[in-house]
Amino acid sequence: MRLALVQTNTGIDPRMEAVHLPAQIAKAAADGAQIVFTPEMSGLLDRDRARAASHIAHEADDVVLSAVREAAARHGVWVQLGSLALKGAGEKFVNRGFLIAPDGNITARYAKIHLFDVALGSESWRESAAYDAGDTAVLAQTPWGGLGLTICYDLRFPALHRALAEAGAAMLAVPAAFTRPTGAAHWHVLLRARAIETGCWVIAAAQSGIHQDGRATYGHSLVVSPWGEVTLDMGEAPGIGLVDIDLGQVAAARAKVPALDHARPFRLERA
């Protein structure tokens, strides 16, 4: 199975990304990719909420989603569109990812459950001020096996990934826009931990570089094997990463250390 990861430096105008992403999908397909993964916020990355609001649309009207669906159909590839900022049912937006089939149809949707509300000293983020959280984990079906959908900050919640693995995931998608401080400290170790804990392939397409809105993201899009080995690290430069993975390694890793089967219920006693 050949994967492609698109590492991007998304800007403040979705119309530009509606041109850039299909071009990247075309290149990946030409290089033999069967499924293409893109980062969180693939259509718009803008800390200026008033300016961003003027570009955020409902799903049916989003120019990036429409362009990516068309590209998937034109080139006959699956696309895991990491996420888009979209209008929700209420006043707030939603951070929603998609799995798109080679005919251009959307086969799965996932709304980010865990919102990034943190203070890092030099940086402060409060995603919940603008976005509503999702409440449903999603296991998508592909020709190669189950694909668990997560987004960025979800990475820090192992129970979500374990639930997806127990439900049948052989792969976990972790599209992200990690900050540089948290990326340098935690990105590699958390992704490797989720792979080892679940015995899944972990596929993490990331944003990278200094963005138009002034933020800096960490990059280092990764693919991690079920044994915790990093098989692709894209560093900091935007571009396309290609890697061939063997889904047989899922069963092999779980046979060596059957932690999913060994989980036992327990009670907590406060001594």
Side-chain angles (χ1 to χ4, degrees), residues 142-167:
T142 77
W144 309 279
L147 173 64
L149 302 182
T150 76
I151 298 172
C152 201
Y153 191 49
D154 286 331
L155 176 60
R156 296 182 182 272
F157 300 86
L160 171 61
H161 300 79
R162 185 178 186 92
L164 290 165
E166 289 176 336

Side-chain angles (χ1 to χ4, degrees), residues 23-46:
Q24 298 294 83
I25 291 167
K27 290 179 183 177
D31 286 332
Q34 297 163 285
I35 181 168
V36 181
F37 292 80
T38 79
E40 179 185 28
M41 293 294 176
S42 283
L44 172 74
L45 208 58
D46 194 353

Side-chain angles (χ1 to χ4, degrees), residues 17-230:
E17 308 308 326
V19 174
H20 173 70
L21 279 179
Q24 298 294 83
I25 291 167
K27 290 179 183 177
D31 286 332
Q34 297 163 285
I35 181 168
V36 181
F37 292 80
T38 79
E40 179 185 28
M41 293 294 176
S42 283
L44 172 74
L45 208 58
D46 194 353
R47 294 190 72 172
D48 185 326
R49 289 177 183 156
R51 182 174 60 194
S54 67
H55 292 296
I56 296 175
H58 289 288
E59 179 181 310
D61 302 317
D62 188 84
V63 294
V64 175
L65 179 58
S66 176
V68 170
R69 292 180 65 185
E70 183 179 337
R74 179 181 302 118
H75 302 290
V77 293
W78 289 82
V79 179
Q80 202 282 298
L81 180 56
S83 83
L84 299 171
L86 298 168
K87 288 183 178 179
E91 295 183 1
K92 292 184 180 181
F93 307 127
V94 292
N95 189 346
R96 184 180 297 152
F98 301 87
L99 181 63
I100 300 167
D103 60 4
N105 285 323
I106 297 168
T107 65
R109 295 169 172 84
Y110 168 71
K112 186 177 182 179
I113 292 173
H114 302 100
L115 301 182
F116 192 54
D117 290 357
V118 301
L120 302 173
S122 61
E123 298 182 20
S124 179
W125 303 89
R126 189 163 181 80
E127 194 173 14
S128 66
Y131 290 84
D132 280 325
D135 61 6
T136 305
V138 176
L139 176 66
Q141 298 303 319
T142 77
W144 309 279
L147 173 64
L149 302 182
T150 76
I151 298 172
C152 201
Y153 191 49
D154 286 331
L155 176 60
R156 296 182 182 272
F157 300 86
L160 171 61
H161 300 79
R162 185 178 186 92
L164 290 165
E166 289 176 336
M171 302 169 285
L172 299 170
V174 190
F178 248 59
T179 70
R180 285 188 172 173
T182 58
H186 302 145
W187 176 246
H188 286 75
V189 69
L190 285 173
L191 287 166
R192 292 187 67 203
R194 297 298 86 84
I196 293 165
E197 291 163 352
T198 62
C200 287
W201 283 96
V202 172
I203 303 147
Q207 296 280 353
S208 187
I210 306 297
H211 297 261
Q212 282 181 292
D213 71 344
R215 82 179 73 198
T217 52
Y218 182 64
H220 291 276
S221 297
L222 295 185
V223 175
V224 185
S225 80
W227 197 242
E229 300 160 322
V230 175

Side-chain angles (χ1 to χ4, degrees), residues 234-259:
M234 291 183 64
E236 297 182 1
I240 299 171
L242 291 160
V243 63
D244 295 317
I245 71 170
D246 176 6
L247 272 297
Q249 290 187 34
V250 174
R254 292 176 182 177
K256 291 176 183 177
V257 183

